[in-house]
Amino acid sequence: MENQIITPKKTIFSGIQPSGTLTLGNYIGALRNFTLLQDEYNCIYCVVDMHAITVRQNPADLRRRCLELAATYIACGLDPKKNIIYCQSHVSGHAELGWILNCYTYMGELQRMTQYKDKAAKHADNINAGLFTYPVLMAADILLYQADLVPIGADQKQHLELTRDIAQRFNGVYGDVFTVPEGYFGKVGSRVMSLQDPTRKMSKSDPEDCYIAILDPADVIRRKVKRAVTDSDAEIRYDPENKPGVSNLLSIIAAMTGDSIENVVNDLSGQGYGTLKNRVSECVIETLAPIQEEHKRLMADKAYLQGILDENAQRANAIAMRTLRKVQKKIGFAARG
Ligand code: TRP
């Protein structure tokens, strides 16, 4: 056998809020790529239900959405034996490390967080302490698993920066306890834009017509694509600057089929926007159909899904506990018998 240098796998950690639905943008920009990482990295995907309660949640909805989110991840091709897919509240170390890190984070740092300022403005009747310390819990999520890489969108950059500052501050006092994580950003160009305002990112918090949800039925997908904003010059050409709507549709086809944009444009040249939109609907429907089927199967087999979540929480807990015990010892908590 050839000599091999064995380097330990790096750890990727990501948290996803169980609020709202995942969109085609999440699929193309994140989920689909995660399946390509599952052999090369230790990947941990956490359903962050504890973050979700920083705004008021309906208990039955929250419970269902946590399961649905886990099922969507698995249905998109993330093997729950290779990856760890679990609920944050099932691993108590998140709360425990979160508390400790609160004592190593300054009020001034949290006051500068733009997401806090936005959310406080949006939920003026419920500016709770959890909303304020949200980034500290996020830091605990990441640092508990000694994550090397954290896939995040631009809106979470400030939180990751704070996580790095907290880790470095802690390490500065107690030695190398935490891995200082880096952001992991998807390929440029894999951004899917809103169907109604193609100069903005497709987002689940916009009105329904703006996005395609991974679980949208075929007729809904057709309707939304049919209503997608294009332009009036009726020429199929890739030009994101001047033709953002048409270019977005072309890149969706390219992403779904794996074809180059150039080929997609050549294929469709001389055709009308109706044909372009039909092509978009059909390839989106075709890609999402097996995912939706698997999702349905998983949701119908709650015992199986529950078993997966339990097993994965145990795997996560084993890693988390190692870090937590080390931290507790470093800061001087009394040893356990
Ligand atoms: N705050 C993240 C968001 O809203 C979710 C999140 C929580 C997260 N913990 C995390 C993301 C840890 C990455 C790593 O998108």
Side-chain angles (χ1 to χ4, degrees), residues 225-240:
V225 172
K226 206 168 268 171
R227 287 189 197 155
V229 167
T230 50
D231 52 48
S232 54
D233 78 1
E235 186 197 350
I236 296 181
R237 179 161 52 87
Y238 186 75
D239 179 355

Side-chain angles (χ1 to χ4, degrees), residues 189-215:
S190 57
R191 248 159 70 108
V192 181
M193 313 308 277
S194 161
L195 297 178
Q196 291 301 317
D197 178 359
T199 60
R200 297 180 42 213
K201 206 174 114 175
M202 181 178 278
S203 163
K204 64 182 175 189
S205 34
D206 286 336
E208 265 248 40
D209 265 9
C210 297
Y211 63 84
I212 295 171
I214 294 181
L215 299 179

Side-chain angles (χ1 to χ4, degrees), residues 13-17 46 48 51 88 115 119 134 137-139 141-142 150-153 155-156 159-160:
F13 183 95
S14 185
I16 330 98
Q17 293 237 31
C46 179
V48 292
H51 279 105
Q88 187 182 30
Q115 184 173 299
K119 284 200 181 172
Y134 177 113
L137 180 59
M138 177 163 161
D141 297 343
I142 297 166
V150 183
I152 41 165
D155 64 322
Q156 296 299 312
H159 290 165
L160 186 65

Side-chain angles (χ1 to χ4, degrees), residues 28 32 187 189-190 238 246-265 268 276 279-280 283-284 287:
I28 294 175
R32 192 178 61 152
K187 270 185 292 171
S190 57
Y238 186 75
V246 169
S247 303
N248 187 37
L249 295 178
L250 288 168
S251 44
I252 292 175
I253 299 178
M256 296 286 92
T257 57
D259 229 353
S260 67
I261 300 254
E262 213 184 359
N263 279 345
V264 175
V265 173
L268 285 163
L276 168 66
R279 188 71 60 87
V280 172
C283 64
V284 170
T287 305

